[in-house]
Amino acid sequence: MIMVTKLPKTDVVTVGVGWTGGIIAAEASKAGLKVVGLERGGNRGTANFAMKHDELRYAIRGELMQDLSRETLTFRHNRDQRALPMRQYGSFMLGNGVGGAGTHWNGMTDRYNPYDFEIRSKTIERYGEDKIADGLLIQDWGITYDEMEPYYTMFDKMAGISADETPLRGERSEPFPNPALIHGPELGLFKEVTKKMGLDPFTMPAANNSQPYKNPDGQHLATCQMKGFCERFGCEYGAKASPNVTVVPTALKTGNFDLRPHSEVIEVLHKGGRATGVIYVNTRTGERFEQPAEIVAVTSYTFNNNRLLLNSKLGTAYNPETGKGTIGKNYCYQVIVGTDGFFDDRKFNTAIGSGGLGATVDNFNADNFDHTDFDFIHGGSVIINQSGKRPIENNQVPPGTPKWGKEFKNQSIKYYNRSLNVHAYGAVMPHVNNYLDLDPTYKDVHGNPLIRMTFDFSETDRKRGHFLNEKTKTIMQEMGATHVSENTSVEHYDITTYQATHNTGGVIMGADPETSAVNNYLQMWEADNVFVVGGSAYPHQSGYNATHTLAALAYRASEGIINYSKDGGKLA
Amino acid sequence: MSKHDEKKLDAKGSSRRKFLKSSGMAVGGIAVGGALGGLLGMNGKGEQPPTDTATEETQPAQQHDQALEYFTNRADFDLLGQATERIFPEDENGPGAIGLGVPYYIDHQLAGKWGINAKDYRQGPFFDDKTESGGEVRLGGQQEQPYLGYQSQLRYHQVYDLGIEAIEKYSQETFNEGFTALDGEQQDEVLVALENDEVDIPGIKSSFFFNILRQSTLEGAYADPLYGGNKDMQGWKMKEYPGVQLRYKPEQVESKEFIDIKPSSLHTTFNT
């Protein structure tokens, strides 16, 4: 029996201190609640990133990422297969440490489309129920875009988002706090060509600040220096909004926030539909503690939110055979396709850029185009980034070039500054066969089961992927590329190649306790004082970058937590 | 007459190889064009070695200018170096893997935490693609092993050990000579076989090793020079990659024309 030290009770405990935990810590502590933030990784700040211009250490070896030797997940494509552990990083990068993935994100800040929040109703309204393919579990989110709008705006102001217009997206109550970032000729070319094609290009909203900015909490953000090294890296200038330079110092400033790094929560304690606190391990000493709390905010990444609930036997696990239960249901990802273009007669300074810097069109996203003649719903954003290309990761060569040797070397060098990429983040619709549960075989460093991902693209995801890939190819050809790459394979999901850290679902929100795990305040239907916040709450995955929506939901949850602390009860 | 036979009849080349082998410096025919060849004087008269084969024209010599932290047998290290050089050869753009220090980069990585897969999930059971149970995984559905990534219980340094051993064995069996004694085209044939899963390596497919070798080579060519490769930022210079820059000015960001930017590394940036 391992000894557990019981600590004094707090008002709120957060499991993880990334964007969601950080936002809740800031808002709740500002409202006078005592908050304990338990973060399994270490603390870090701007001073830790001065030496970060090191592609090998940070981008290739994943310095800032979760240590997979301690914990990973297992994966299989379908229920007939044996799941095997993800022993190394590939398709996505899991965060670790104070700031979480919010420390090493690129900074792309997209609101989801009004269509997303009412996807089922709006699809049926426009196309009829038959439009929804068999096996798809799409459902409304229990909240509308108009209800979400104030929370998106709160994040925009807190993070100092830089952007101008965002055509074909939801209406905004306020302009962006900072003007859009400047950009290079490659984005200019994309905008010019897409405009000529009758599309509506714009510079993507970025959390990489275009000018010095002081946010409403009094935190200062510097001007982005455009030298790349954003995604997989921290920002040494404090120019990229991250929890480390915004909500975490805001929470600490109140005196109500107790930040505890190296504290890994392994169980939510609960009794009679109510959480009493959490058990956590000091990852350095191995000591165990019980942290009692009035409110437990589960604010880790999608996988750990699901795993912690399942390992704690909190909520009802989804059963794919019967369709009953909710925890683990509607796991989604994105179908990401793209086209490399090789320009024999043009050179670009591809090293220059900023993580969130890009141009995009929304014409093929959400329900912004008529799907009557297509046998899929939704779509994706078509994007060109100027994020600063790094040389180990980028050795693109025209089709037909060998993978190594003299010709490969020559072509990969020649095209380093002569190739661009246009890609699409395609939505993925929840399918009855795609879900998360506990792995029967593999364990973490503490001996607790790993989460198991059962996932593959379903037929409509593949069709959406093909559709978007044709768009990226056409745009690249119009941009004047001499050669273009072959289309991306979307036959099966591949966990070994980086695509995006956009994993969602499993603890989804909704209006009905039968089909969702949390209400629209992210409050668990089965435990009033537990709020589960993150990408885990998305009932489907849209065709956008995923951070802004989970951050907005964290503001919504903060409001719920503050209200609940006064009156208790179900908030929705 | 096959290329192989021609090579065998190349008396000069053959005797040079014998000389080096018998001298205990198992560096193969390749090194004779460079420092070691010059040092040994080859034929005892200090003559420049002949450059009558493709090998001698294209293979630069491996300098011994950094610590070896992993390899103990110079022959293994030289085999590694020549394999990386075929993957990323010296050409009119600039140095190849050997000139960039890639073999030292790989040696250092194998000696460190990457070489022992310190941050990988290492708990069993392992179902790699050569075991019976690995087959069961594949038969369970349409799933192909590539979608599941690294499942071997071998650590990277073991993969390299076994891979180098297998390359040498394959070369001997196919050409009756060790890998470093082969000419460039023959070495390429061995690497093609490696890439196509035609070389037997215990526990793994040979393409698995090939892909790691290729990736390590690119890392060594382009990682910051402090890691032992990318000598004098020549990898970056070839690519016109500016390296460590602390800022770009708005006029650089917006420039319609390509701008030449002098590269900088961690060393040049932080040694003030």
Side-chain angles (χ1 to χ4, degrees):
Chain A
M1 186 78 191
I2 300 168
M3 199 181 82
V4 178
T5 306
K6 192 166 180 174
L7 300 169
K9 195 172 192 176
T10 184
D11 294 328
V12 181
V13 63
T14 76
V15 179
V17 185
W19 269 130
T20 55
I23 287 169
I24 288 169
E27 295 304 301
S29 63
K30 282 194 285 180
L33 296 173
K34 294 282 181 197
V35 182
V36 171
L38 300 176
E39 166 55 50
R40 66 183 174 179
N43 201 359
R44 58 203 179 182
T46 303
N48 297 96
F49 307 133
M51 304 296 288
K52 66 91 185 266
H53 288 256
D54 183 340
E55 183 186 11
L56 181 71
R57 179 176 179 184
Y58 290 91
I60 306 292
R61 301 282 186 257
E63 175 67 29
L64 300 180
M65 308 306 161
Q66 173 180 317
D67 180 352
L68 297 181
S69 74
R70 297 178 59 85
E71 177 192 345
T72 184
L73 52 92
T74 67
F75 161 66
R76 58 182 181 173
H77 277 133
N78 61 59
R79 272 186 278 157
D80 297 332
Q81 295 172 334
R82 178 201 301 274
L84 294 180
M86 182 182 83
R87 298 188 180 277
Q88 300 183 329
Y89 280 109
S91 149
F92 44 82
M93 298 295 240
L94 304 169
N96 191 51
V98 173
T103 301
H104 58 77
W105 71 317
N106 248 338
M108 298 170 189
T109 310
D110 295 329
R111 296 180 176 205
Y112 281 14
N113 196 277
Y115 170 72
D116 283 311
F117 299 98
E118 299 169 90
I119 187 168
R120 186 173 180 87
S121 314
K122 288 189 177 207
T123 302
I124 293 171
E125 187 186 311
R126 189 167 176 183
Y127 307 105
E129 196 152 0
D130 290 348
K131 191 77 183 170
I132 302 168
D134 285 346
L136 297 190
L137 299 175
I138 61 165
Q139 57 192 67
D140 293 352
W141 289 37
I143 197 166
T144 64
Y145 174 80
D146 289 343
E147 290 169 303
M148 282 291 285
E149 204 284 334
Y151 307 107
Y152 277 130
T153 298
M154 286 169 88
F155 183 80
D156 285 344
K157 287 157 83 169
M158 182 273 289
I161 300 304
S162 299
D164 297 329
E165 299 298 316
T166 54
L168 301 176
R169 294 191 179 176
E171 297 227 356
R172 309 176 50 82
S173 58
E174 293 185 42
F176 285 99
N178 290 307
L181 291 162
I182 58 168
H183 61 71
E186 56 270 60
L187 267 53
L189 181 61
F190 175 91
K191 285 180 172 178
E192 190 189 307
V193 160
T194 49
K195 198 171 277 176
K196 226 177 270 174
M197 294 167 73
L199 309 175
D200 302 278
F202 57 96
T203 303
M204 292 173 72
N208 323 73
N209 279 258
S210 60
Q211 60 185 18
Y213 178 70
K214 185 179 171 186
N215 81 8
D217 296 316
Q219 305 298 339
H220 291 270
L221 289 156
T223 306
C224 174
Q225 301 299 309
M226 294 285 185
K227 33 100 223 110
F229 292 87
C230 304
E231 187 174 57
R232 308 186 182 198
F233 304 83
C235 182
E236 77 275 39
Y237 289 103
K240 174 175 77 178
S242 69
N244 313 74
V245 294
T246 58
V247 290
V248 170
T250 295
L252 290 169
K253 201 170 64 180
T254 64
N256 291 328
F257 181 47
D258 180 355
L259 174 63
R260 293 185 206 151
H262 306 290
S263 302
E264 183 175 356
V265 176
I266 55 169
E267 189 181 354
V268 178
L269 301 169
H270 59 97
K271 210 171 152 186
R274 208 184 141 71
T276 57
V278 299
I279 300 284
Y280 72 92
V281 183
N282 180 320
T283 57
R284 295 194 287 198
T285 64
E287 293 167 285
R288 292 197 176 199
F289 299 93
E290 177 182 342
Q291 176 60 63
E294 289 291 340
I295 297 169
V296 174
V298 180
T299 54
S300 56
Y301 195 66
T302 294
F303 296 118
N304 268 339
N305 281 0
N306 279 277
R307 192 167 89 97
L308 185 61
L309 295 178
L310 292 169
N311 274 333
S312 305
K313 297 183 171 58
L314 181 56
T316 308
Y318 171 65
N319 181 340
E321 300 281 352
T322 63
K324 302 268 188 245
T326 53
I327 310 300
K329 184 182 154 188
N330 285 29
Y331 171 75
C332 286
Y333 191 56
Q334 282 176 332
V335 56
I336 298 176
V337 294
T339 304
D340 291 322
F342 302 88
F343 295 76
D344 283 354
D345 53 356
R346 276 197 83 166
K347 261 167 89 176
F348 304 90
N349 282 96
T350 57
I352 299 179
S354 176
L357 180 56
T360 189
V361 293
D362 248 9
N363 301 74
F364 309 115
N365 209 349
D367 202 31
N368 289 342
F369 61 104
D370 187 352
H371 289 69
T372 305
D373 296 332
F374 296 107
D375 41 13
F376 61 88
I377 56 170
H378 216 301
S381 41
V382 174
I383 300 167
I384 181 168
N385 284 130
Q386 190 184 343
S387 298
K389 246 165 118 170
R390 296 180 294 262
I392 301 173
E393 295 152 280
N394 290 285
N395 291 285
Q396 291 86 357
V397 286
T401 310
K403 274 172 66 190
W404 54 279
K406 194 171 163 57
E407 193 186 342
F408 165 78
K409 182 190 175 191
N410 192 53
Q411 296 290 71
S412 60
I413 286 171
K414 174 182 171 185
Y415 286 108
Y416 185 65
N417 283 313
R418 288 184 179 88
S419 64
L420 302 174
N421 175 272
V422 172
H423 60 277
Y425 288 137
V428 158
M429 294 300 109
H431 191 276
V432 65
N433 289 333
N434 291 336
Y435 64 101
L436 302 172
D437 67 353
L438 293 177
D439 191 89
T441 307
Y442 294 96
K443 309 271 194 277
D444 71 3
V445 71
H446 306 294
N448 294 322
L450 298 181
I451 198 82
R452 174 171 66 178
M453 177 205 299
T454 304
F455 177 75
D456 204 354
F457 299 125
S458 69
E459 206 42 45
T460 67
D461 299 329
R462 294 187 186 106
K463 285 172 179 159
R464 190 179 308 105
H466 291 309
F467 168 81
L468 291 167
N469 216 161
E470 285 306 309
K471 301 298 176 194
T472 62
K473 187 162 92 184
T474 305
I475 290 169
M476 193 50 97
Q477 284 165 336
E478 293 291 320
M479 284 169 69
T482 322
H483 322 274
V484 296
S485 61
E486 283 165 23
N487 284 358
T488 313
S489 168
V490 290
E491 194 50 32
H492 292 292
Y493 168 60
D494 174 5
I495 203 169
T496 67
T497 307
Y498 191 78
Q499 290 146 70
T501 306
H502 293 170
N503 318 77
T504 60
V507 195
I508 63 175
M509 61 192 292
D512 179 356
E514 290 298 311
T515 57
S516 61
V518 295
N519 65 26
N520 66 19
Y521 281 96
L522 294 305
Q523 182 185 32
M524 266 189 98
W525 294 114
E526 294 185 63
D528 285 355
N529 68 335
V530 178
F531 292 76
V532 188
V533 191
S536 56
Y538 301 4
H540 70 270
Q541 177 56 304
S542 185
Y544 293 102
N545 284 281
T547 300
H548 200 188
T549 298
L550 63 88
L553 289 175
Y555 278 105
R556 170 84 179 174
S558 302
E559 199 179 292
I561 285 169
I562 293 163
N563 290 342
Y564 178 84
S565 74
K566 293 172 191 151
D567 307 321
K570 286 207 187 333
L571 297 161
Chain B
M1 195 193 297
S2 75
K3 223 176 170 35
H4 175 58
D5 292 330
E6 278 175 19
K7 176 87 185 175
K8 276 187 120 177
L9 291 173
D10 176 1
K12 273 191 293 181
S14 177
S15 62
R16 279 202 312 280
R17 282 191 294 278
K18 274 185 197 140
F19 173 81
L20 285 165
K21 276 175 185 161
S22 61
S23 74
M25 312 286 284
V27 292
I30 280 60
V32 296
L36 189 52
L39 190 70
L40 294 170
M42 295 324 305
N43 53 14
K45 295 176 191 160
E47 283 177 18
Q48 285 301 307
T51 54
D52 54 354
T53 68
T55 306
E56 283 157 19
E57 281 164 13
T58 56
Q59 293 281 20
Q62 176 65 69
Q63 305 294 316
H64 188 65
D65 54 5
Q66 295 191 45
L68 281 181
E69 298 181 38
Y70 179 73
F71 288 98
T72 50
N73 185 335
R74 185 78 202 200
D76 295 336
F77 184 64
D78 286 331
L79 186 156
L80 169 71
Q82 291 189 25
T84 60
E85 182 70 20
R86 294 314 298 176
I87 291 171
F88 200 82
E90 184 174 315
D91 65 0
E92 60 277 11
N93 291 294
I98 290 177
L100 290 168
V102 165
Y104 286 104
Y105 163 82
I106 294 174
D107 171 79
H108 300 167
Q109 291 296 310
L110 291 173
K113 62 184 176 185
W114 181 78
I116 57 167
N117 303 60
K119 287 179 82 175
D120 289 358
Y121 185 75
R122 297 286 306 165
Q123 291 189 35
F126 288 89
F127 293 99
D128 63 52
D129 54 19
K130 283 215 172 165
T131 62
E132 203 180 324
S133 39
E136 182 194 316
V137 173
R138 286 201 299 281
L139 293 171
Q142 289 88 43
Q143 187 167 334
E144 290 293 329
Q145 193 70 9
Y147 295 114
L148 291 168
Y150 200 119
Q151 294 297 333
S152 174
Q153 66 184 323
L154 297 175
R155 298 177 191 271
Y156 280 131
H157 75 92
Q158 295 166 327
V159 170
Y160 266 87
D161 287 349
L162 291 167
I164 288 169
E165 208 174 284
I167 287 176
E168 184 64 12
K169 187 160 171 250
Y170 184 88
S171 301
Q172 291 286 359
E173 283 169 3
T174 311
F175 297 107
N176 283 322
E177 299 210 70
F179 184 77
T180 56
L182 303 178
D183 67 32
E185 283 180 28
Q186 291 170 325
Q187 290 183 334
D188 283 355
E189 284 180 47
V190 176
L191 293 177
V192 167
L194 193 69
E195 189 182 14
N196 292 335
D197 290 328
E198 289 158 12
V199 177
D200 194 38
I201 305 180
I204 50 168
K205 289 188 191 172
S206 66
S207 60
F208 178 79
F209 173 54
F210 178 83
N211 290 332
I212 292 170
L213 181 64
R214 177 186 179 273
Q215 170 67 17
S216 303
T217 302
L218 293 173
E219 288 171 8
Y222 297 122
D224 192 277
L226 289 180
Y227 287 100
N230 189 14
K231 189 176 167 61
D232 301 327
M233 295 186 271
Q234 290 180 91
W236 292 351
K237 285 171 187 164
M238 286 189 279
K239 266 192 170 174
E240 296 181 279
Y241 172 71
V244 181
Q245 302 289 327
L246 298 185
R247 69 176 297 232
Y248 292 110
K249 299 186 199 109
E251 57 269 29
Q252 290 178 307
V253 177
E254 292 188 305
S255 173
K256 297 249 187 296
E257 299 302 318
F258 184 80
I259 315 166
D260 285 315
I261 299 165
K262 191 171 170 269
S264 176
S265 65
L266 288 170
H267 177 266
T268 51
T269 303
F270 292 102
N271 280 30
T272 48

